[in-house]
Amino acid sequence: MHFTLHIWRQENRHAKGHFEKYEIDNISAECSFLEMLDQLNEKLINDHIAHPVCFDNDCREGICGMCGLYINGRPHGNDDGVTTCQLHMRRFNDGDEIWVEPWRAKAFPIIKDLVVDRTAFDKIIQAGGYISATTGGVPDANNILVAKHIADQSMDAAACIGCGACVAACKNASAMLFVGAKVSHLNLLPQGKPEALDRVHNMVVKMDELGFGSCTNTYACEAECPKQIKRQNIARLNRGWIGQMFGRDRRK
């Protein structure tokens, strides 16, 4: 397969970026998108055309959330429920032109080319995405009973890999789906309930502090999430925010 690639090149966050055009041939339909970029970089190096294109990747199994690319106007490309590393070239037609960009968000500054700094997500997790209670030894699984539907909701939220596709898809660069998933994951379980109010407050305040936008309920985040995290987590986060405001008033 032959493709014409338009790839965003930018030396650093302060430099002016631009698209560069590359032609690439002999790409297998079974090749992943990142493997295609590997072949492009090999060509750029061997033919002394340009410096290789910088892009994030790690596990290449759809788990780590590193491979965030904006492909033809969609986070992770033109397939549903997949990360960029799970996107295969069979989803494109021979001879297609493909436009590849980094995430576009104030809270995700560009490091170089297609690599963005997603430290903001780490800071949100540090603000409250944990349980601080000392639990001692590992208890038997049936010591704390959790209803199946609650456990299922918590585990569905825990599937979030923090790739940032929700932020990239949102016209406001909101992180509400990410924060909602992380809050739901912990607050639904008995172990997370003692700190539930503080967790919601601290994570939402940190999210706003870092420059993420507000949610206006267009749900592009849910549509583009590779792990198909549901918008109900945003509603649960909003309820938690209202609850923590009243809870804080009662504790004063």
Side-chain angles (χ1 to χ4, degrees), residues 84-129:
T84 303
C85 63
Q86 295 173 307
L87 177 68
H88 288 81
M89 301 313 294
R90 60 177 174 266
R91 299 294 299 176
F92 301 90
N93 298 316
D94 187 26
D96 274 356
E97 291 196 47
I98 304 175
W99 296 79
V100 189
E101 304 172 66
W103 289 164
R104 304 290 190 179
K106 176 183 177 182
F108 293 158
I110 292 177
I111 296 175
K112 186 173 183 178
D113 294 341
L114 305 175
V115 181
V116 299
D117 185 352
R118 281 174 282 191
T119 305
F121 272 5
D122 297 331
K123 292 179 179 178
I124 292 174
I125 294 298
Q126 290 167 4

Side-chain angles (χ1 to χ4, degrees), residues 125-136 186-187 189-199 202-203:
I125 294 298
Q126 290 167 4
Y130 55 85
I131 293 172
S132 62
T134 302
T135 58
L186 297 175
N187 283 11
L189 298 176
Q191 297 90 336
K193 290 190 180 300
E195 297 173 293
L197 296 181
D198 288 336
R199 178 176 296 112
N202 293 340
M203 293 181 76

Side-chain angles (χ1 to χ4, degrees), residues 29-158:
E30 302 309 310
C31 180
S32 77
F33 198 87
L34 295 190
E35 288 170 337
M36 181 275 293
L37 291 180
D38 288 336
Q39 293 181 50
L40 171 65
N41 279 341
E42 185 175 352
K43 175 182 177 181
L44 296 180
I45 293 170
N46 291 340
D47 295 348
H48 306 286
I49 297 174
H51 291 295
V53 177
C54 293
F55 60 93
D56 266 333
N57 68 103
D58 191 4
C59 73
R60 299 203 177 193
E61 295 179 349
I63 298 171
C64 70
M66 292 292 290
C67 58
L69 298 180
Y70 215 82
I71 303 167
N72 285 349
R74 290 189 64 183
H76 296 300
N78 57 337
D79 204 349
D80 296 326
V82 299
T83 56
T84 303
C85 63
Q86 295 173 307
L87 177 68
H88 288 81
M89 301 313 294
R90 60 177 174 266
R91 299 294 299 176
F92 301 90
N93 298 316
D94 187 26
D96 274 356
E97 291 196 47
I98 304 175
W99 296 79
V100 189
E101 304 172 66
W103 289 164
R104 304 290 190 179
K106 176 183 177 182
F108 293 158
I110 292 177
I111 296 175
K112 186 173 183 178
D113 294 341
L114 305 175
V115 181
V116 299
D117 185 352
R118 281 174 282 191
T119 305
F121 272 5
D122 297 331
K123 292 179 179 178
I124 292 174
I125 294 298
Q126 290 167 4
Y130 55 85
I131 293 172
S132 62
T134 302
T135 58
V138 179
D140 291 338
N142 60 356
N143 276 0
I144 302 176
L145 300 180
V146 180
K148 185 180 186 302
H149 73 282
I150 296 296
D152 288 345
Q153 290 175 24
S154 176
M155 292 302 101
D156 288 345

